[in-house]
Short mmCIF file of all heavy atoms in Angstrom, two decimals:
data_model
loop_
_atom_site.label_atom_id
_atom_site.label_comp_id
_atom_site.label_asym_id
_atom_site.label_seq_id
_atom_site.Cartn_x
_atom_site.Cartn_y
_atom_site.Cartn_z
N ASP A 200 -77.05 59.59 -11.68
CA ASP A 200 -78.41 59.40 -11.19
C ASP A 200 -78.44 59.49 -9.67
O ASP A 200 -77.40 59.39 -9.01
CB ASP A 200 -78.95 58.02 -11.60
CG ASP A 200 -79.38 57.98 -13.06
OD1 ASP A 200 -79.90 59.01 -13.54
OD2 ASP A 200 -79.19 56.94 -13.72
N ALA A 201 -79.63 59.66 -9.13
CA ALA A 201 -79.79 59.60 -7.67
C ALA A 201 -79.98 58.14 -7.27
O ALA A 201 -80.67 57.39 -7.94
CB ALA A 201 -81.00 60.42 -7.24
N ASN A 202 -79.34 57.75 -6.16
CA ASN A 202 -79.33 56.35 -5.73
C ASN A 202 -79.69 56.30 -4.25
O ASN A 202 -78.93 56.74 -3.39
CB ASN A 202 -77.93 55.78 -6.00
CG ASN A 202 -77.82 54.31 -5.65
OD1 ASN A 202 -78.29 53.87 -4.61
ND2 ASN A 202 -77.14 53.56 -6.50
N LEU A 203 -80.90 55.78 -3.95
CA LEU A 203 -81.40 55.81 -2.57
C LEU A 203 -80.57 54.95 -1.63
O LEU A 203 -80.29 55.34 -0.49
CB LEU A 203 -82.87 55.35 -2.53
CG LEU A 203 -83.91 56.45 -2.75
CD1 LEU A 203 -83.72 57.18 -4.06
CD2 LEU A 203 -85.33 55.90 -2.68
N LEU A 204 -80.17 53.76 -2.10
CA LEU A 204 -79.37 52.89 -1.24
C LEU A 204 -78.03 53.54 -0.92
O LEU A 204 -77.55 53.50 0.21
CB LEU A 204 -79.14 51.52 -1.89
CG LEU A 204 -78.33 50.54 -1.04
CD1 LEU A 204 -79.07 50.17 0.23
CD2 LEU A 204 -77.99 49.27 -1.83
N LYS A 205 -77.45 54.20 -1.94
CA LYS A 205 -76.16 54.86 -1.71
C LYS A 205 -76.30 55.93 -0.63
O LYS A 205 -75.44 56.06 0.24
CB LYS A 205 -75.64 55.48 -3.01
CG LYS A 205 -74.25 56.11 -2.82
CD LYS A 205 -73.72 56.80 -4.06
CE LYS A 205 -72.41 57.50 -3.69
NZ LYS A 205 -71.90 58.34 -4.77
N GLY A 206 -77.41 56.69 -0.68
CA GLY A 206 -77.65 57.69 0.37
C GLY A 206 -77.65 57.07 1.75
O GLY A 206 -77.04 57.59 2.70
N GLY A 207 -78.33 55.93 1.86
CA GLY A 207 -78.38 55.23 3.16
C GLY A 207 -77.01 54.77 3.61
O GLY A 207 -76.66 54.90 4.79
N ILE A 208 -76.21 54.26 2.67
CA ILE A 208 -74.87 53.77 3.02
C ILE A 208 -73.96 54.93 3.45
O ILE A 208 -73.20 54.82 4.40
CB ILE A 208 -74.26 52.99 1.83
CG1 ILE A 208 -75.06 51.72 1.55
CG2 ILE A 208 -72.80 52.64 2.10
CD1 ILE A 208 -74.74 51.07 0.21
N VAL A 209 -74.08 56.05 2.75
CA VAL A 209 -73.22 57.20 3.06
C VAL A 209 -73.55 57.79 4.43
O VAL A 209 -72.67 58.13 5.21
CB VAL A 209 -73.35 58.29 1.96
CG1 VAL A 209 -72.71 59.60 2.40
CG2 VAL A 209 -72.71 57.80 0.65
N TYR A 210 -74.85 57.88 4.75
CA TYR A 210 -75.26 58.61 5.96
C TYR A 210 -75.47 57.73 7.19
O TYR A 210 -75.55 58.25 8.31
CB TYR A 210 -76.52 59.44 5.68
CG TYR A 210 -76.18 60.72 4.97
CD1 TYR A 210 -76.31 60.82 3.59
CD2 TYR A 210 -75.69 61.82 5.68
CE1 TYR A 210 -75.96 61.99 2.93
CE2 TYR A 210 -75.34 62.99 5.03
CZ TYR A 210 -75.48 63.07 3.65
OH TYR A 210 -75.13 64.23 3.01
N ALA A 211 -75.57 56.40 7.02
CA ALA A 211 -75.77 55.53 8.20
C ALA A 211 -74.50 55.50 9.03
O ALA A 211 -73.39 55.64 8.51
CB ALA A 211 -76.14 54.12 7.75
N ASP A 212 -74.68 55.30 10.35
CA ASP A 212 -73.51 55.20 11.23
C ASP A 212 -72.76 53.90 11.03
O ASP A 212 -71.54 53.85 11.12
CB ASP A 212 -73.95 55.33 12.70
CG ASP A 212 -74.55 56.70 12.97
OD1 ASP A 212 -73.77 57.68 12.98
OD2 ASP A 212 -75.77 56.81 13.14
N LYS A 213 -73.50 52.83 10.77
CA LYS A 213 -72.87 51.53 10.47
C LYS A 213 -73.61 50.89 9.31
O LYS A 213 -74.81 51.12 9.11
CB LYS A 213 -72.97 50.57 11.66
CG LYS A 213 -72.16 50.99 12.88
CD LYS A 213 -70.71 50.56 12.78
CE LYS A 213 -69.94 50.90 14.04
NZ LYS A 213 -68.49 50.77 13.86
N VAL A 214 -72.90 50.07 8.56
CA VAL A 214 -73.50 49.35 7.43
C VAL A 214 -73.27 47.86 7.67
O VAL A 214 -72.16 47.45 7.99
CB VAL A 214 -72.85 49.77 6.10
CG1 VAL A 214 -73.50 49.04 4.92
CG2 VAL A 214 -72.94 51.27 5.90
N THR A 215 -74.34 47.07 7.55
CA THR A 215 -74.15 45.63 7.68
C THR A 215 -74.71 44.94 6.45
O THR A 215 -75.53 45.49 5.73
CB THR A 215 -74.87 45.04 8.92
OG1 THR A 215 -76.28 44.95 8.66
CG2 THR A 215 -74.65 45.88 10.16
N THR A 216 -74.24 43.71 6.25
CA THR A 216 -74.85 42.86 5.25
C THR A 216 -74.99 41.48 5.86
O THR A 216 -74.62 41.27 7.01
CB THR A 216 -74.09 42.90 3.92
OG1 THR A 216 -74.82 42.14 2.97
CG2 THR A 216 -72.68 42.38 4.06
N VAL A 217 -75.55 40.54 5.09
CA VAL A 217 -76.10 39.35 5.74
C VAL A 217 -75.19 38.12 5.72
O VAL A 217 -75.66 37.01 5.93
CB VAL A 217 -77.49 39.02 5.15
CG1 VAL A 217 -78.53 40.00 5.66
CG2 VAL A 217 -77.47 39.05 3.63
N SER A 218 -73.89 38.32 5.48
CA SER A 218 -72.89 37.28 5.75
C SER A 218 -71.51 37.92 5.67
O SER A 218 -71.32 38.93 4.99
CB SER A 218 -72.99 36.12 4.75
OG SER A 218 -72.61 36.55 3.45
#
Side-chain angles (χ1 to χ4, degrees):
D200 283 325
N202 183 316
L203 272 57
L204 181 65
K205 183 183 174 188
I208 294 166
V209 168
Y210 281 98
D212 296 290
K213 293 276 184 193
V214 181
T215 76
T216 185
V217 286
S218 68

